[in-house]
């Protein structure tokens, strides 16, 4: 009698299901497939709702009823927690408003003005002949401000620039007898010190400032020695790329660039234990991981940021799985160098500087697999939904099942190597002509890329970062056309939304979404591609070296890309370019000739069950 089964691949982001019937002679007939969002963290009992929904949808696509379901096959899902350690290595601290940088989007005038700051109400009483920069608080009308500056100039004062609390820079400049640089929208205008030497710089449209973003320019203006120039260099970096800026110096202030004690990681392997300082960066961390391979566990230095991150990973997994904290282990780690915008303390307008940081993705395992509990929860959930006699089986390891699914791609045969690119992990497996399979499971994939994009662009919006990762960019140059990131132009018959005009947008499948940031389209594209290279390309090479004979990539002939990230519009190209020097042919799989790179694991689970149903793995009654 034929058996009705569903193979289910629980991923970090999505859960995929494939329904099929298996005849007594082992013949498999695939009937339908479905894709849903994963509920909860992969490998925990919270997955049950997402699995039940995926199974129901797959049966609906196949035209079957849940009462006909015999067996559900689950992958051995290993939890991956990524991006939890975006630890900043350095931090710029500015005390007592020593240096105040600002980046308004609506400056007025042009040029560089240097002088002593003077409060607006003190302007009539300021002696003539001095070079001054006037500080105009909120509430002062632009007509009154312009009139007072013109009158001061007529008296012999040299007004070289102005700092405004209101959004009136252009209106004031248009009414002045001589053009001066003016910045506005300084939210904490009351915090700007008066009686101190200051500099205001405004660049022309489409240009960026040159003097205040140069450490030696600051040294020239404020007469700094070499030691002082070194410690104010973070201020210059914070202002790089801005169209306007103001810097004020107080003699009582102090600027320091200090190292935060991020701590060290202790990496334990089967035969070796190595400690590495996180502040040394991702290259040294990954070299240490390679040195102790295979990795057995990771611990962080107590009392440091790194120690707290590792402890949180363990505690989160222990809480979710119900295991004791001592039973939780970290079996793989991916470190990535990145930059994150850090607020410059002591500034008055939320100034930020890009600082070095290290992002970590950790793969967690427990002494006993939590998939038994997941299978039990799925069985209860499906029986409550009408699948009265369903049995739930933990069918196999993801990478091994992915190989079996990949073999249904037209044009493939043994030996074969696959790369399964998911949301939390990168898996690689090779199947030899005799059917033997070798696999490796590594931390870090699409979720970490999203977090890197979010952090480097300072978005504070993971959903938007996910869109930037998945879709190409454009710039709405008019209400009827968009210039794409490849330089071509797309025209529209209907006017674009007003929110998109003159903004960088993501070109999604259904709509374009404006990106609320001052970063240029080129900058966003560079960040997106760099994040994908630092995660997917690095992990692809790591995984393939782990399974290649003798670690020699030239021994691999063909690689098939699988998983949701293989559908990305540029990841397959980036990986193929990285593998080309080794003579490796790389392409995206097409599971069963219909599903593209999706459903490989679910399909492999069904194929494996049809070939040799696992004995003793059943959880059902």
């Amino acid at each position: 009698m034929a058996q009705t089964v569903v193979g289910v691949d629980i991923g970090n982001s999505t859960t995929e299901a494939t329904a099929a019937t298996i005849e007594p002679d082992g013949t498999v007939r695939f009937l339908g497939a479905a894709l849903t969002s994963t509920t909860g963290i992969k490998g925990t009992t919270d997955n049950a709702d997402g699995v039940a929904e995926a199974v129901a949808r797959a049966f609906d696509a196949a035209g079957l009823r849940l009462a006909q379901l015999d067996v559900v096959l689950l992958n051995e899902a290993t939890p991956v927690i990524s991006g939890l350690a975006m630890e900043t290595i350095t931090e710029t601290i500015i005390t007592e408003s020593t240096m105040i940088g600002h980046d308004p989007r609506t400056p007025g005038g042009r040029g560089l003005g240097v002088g002593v700051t003077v409060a607006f109400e003190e302007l009539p009483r300021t002696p003539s002949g001095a070079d001054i920069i006037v500080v105009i608080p909120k509430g002062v009308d632009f007509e009154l401000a312009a009139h007072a500056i013109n009158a001061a100039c007529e008296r012999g004062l040299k007004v070289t620039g102005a700092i405004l609390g209101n959004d009136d820079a252009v209106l004031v400049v248009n009414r002045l007898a001589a053009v001066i640089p003016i910045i506005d929208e300084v939210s904490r205008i009351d915090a700007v010190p008066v009686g101190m030497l200051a500099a205001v710089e405004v660049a022309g449209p489409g240009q960026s400032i040159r003097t205040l973003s140069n450490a030696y320019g600051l040294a020239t203006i404020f007469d700094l020695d070499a030691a002082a120039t070194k410690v104010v260099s973070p201020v210059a970096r914070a202002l790089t790329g801005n169209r306007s800026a103001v810097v004020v110096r107080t003699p009582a202030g102090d600027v320091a660039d200090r190292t935060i004690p991020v701590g060290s990681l202790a990496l334990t392997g089967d035969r070796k234990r190595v400690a590495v300082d996180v502040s040394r960066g991702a290259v040294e961390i990954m070299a240490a991981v390679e040195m102790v391979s295979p990795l057995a566990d990771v611990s962080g230095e107590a009392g440091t940021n790194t120690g707290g991150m590792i402890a949180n990973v363990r505690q989160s997994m222990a809480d979710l799985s119900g295991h004791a904290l001592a039973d939780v282990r970290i079996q793989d780690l991916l470190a990535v160098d990145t930059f994150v915008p850090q607020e410059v303390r002591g500034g008055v307008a939320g100034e930020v500087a890009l600082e070095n940081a290290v992002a970590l993705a950790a793969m967690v395992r427990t002494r006993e697999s939590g998939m038994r509990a997941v299978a039990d929860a799925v069985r209860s959930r499906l029986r409550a939904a009408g699948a009265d006699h369903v049995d739930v089986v933990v069918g196999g390891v993801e990478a091994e099942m992915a190989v079996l699914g990949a073999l249904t791609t037209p044009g493939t045969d043994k030996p074969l190597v696959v790369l399964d690119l998911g949301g939390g992990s990168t898996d690689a497996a090779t199947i030899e002509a005799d059917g033997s399979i070798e696999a490796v499971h590594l931390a870090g994939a699409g979720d970490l890329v999203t977090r890197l994009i979010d952090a480097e662009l300072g978005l504070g919006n993971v959903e938007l970062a996910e869109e930037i990762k998945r879709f190409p960019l454009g710039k709405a140059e008019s209400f009827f056309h968009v210039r794409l990131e490849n330089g071509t132009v797309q025209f529209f018959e209907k006017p674009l939304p007003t929110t998109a005009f003159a903004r960088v947008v993501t070109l999604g499948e259904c709509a374009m979404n404006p990106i609320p940031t001052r970063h240029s389209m080129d900058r966003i594209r560079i960040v997106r591609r760099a994040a994908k290279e630092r995660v997917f390309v690095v992990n692809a090479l790591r995984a393939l070296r782990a399974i290649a004979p003798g670690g020699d990539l030239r021994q691999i002939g063909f690689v098939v890309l699988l998983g949701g990230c293989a559908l990305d519009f540029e990841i397959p190209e980036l990986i193929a370019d990285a593998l080309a020097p080794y003579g490796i042919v790389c392409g995206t799989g097409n599971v069963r000739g219909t599903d593209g790179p999706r459903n490989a694991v679910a399909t492999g689970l069904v194929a494996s069950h049809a070939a040799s149903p696992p004995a003793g793995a059943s959880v059902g009654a």
Side-chain angles (χ1 to χ4, degrees), residues 110-151:
R110 184 183 298 190
L112 173 68
V114 179
V116 175
T117 53
V118 173
F120 178 73
E121 57 272 17
E122 295 296 322
L123 201 56
R125 295 183 288 275
T126 302
S128 60
D131 291 349
I132 67 166
I133 291 177
V134 60
V135 180
I136 306 174
K138 294 180 180 180
V140 177
D141 182 74
F142 61 87
E143 292 272 11
L144 178 60
H147 176 75
I149 293 175
N150 284 330

Side-chain angles (χ1 to χ4, degrees), residues 14-91:
T14 59
T15 296
E16 300 173 356
T18 295
T21 58
I22 302 175
E23 300 296 335
D25 63 356
T27 302
V28 178
R29 186 162 62 95
F30 292 100
L31 304 173
L35 174 72
T36 65
S37 297
T38 297
T39 52
I41 292 181
K42 174 181 176 179
T44 65
T45 54
D46 290 339
N47 299 156
D49 287 340
V51 171
E53 183 180 353
V55 170
R57 289 188 183 182
F59 256 51
D60 186 58
L64 301 174
R65 294 176 292 108
L66 278 179
Q68 299 172 264
L69 178 59
D70 295 316
V71 179
V72 171
L73 307 164
L74 301 180
N75 61 314
E76 182 67 50
T78 304
V80 178
I81 301 177
S82 63
L84 292 183
M86 204 71 76
E87 300 298 351
T88 306
I89 296 173
T90 59
E91 178 184 24

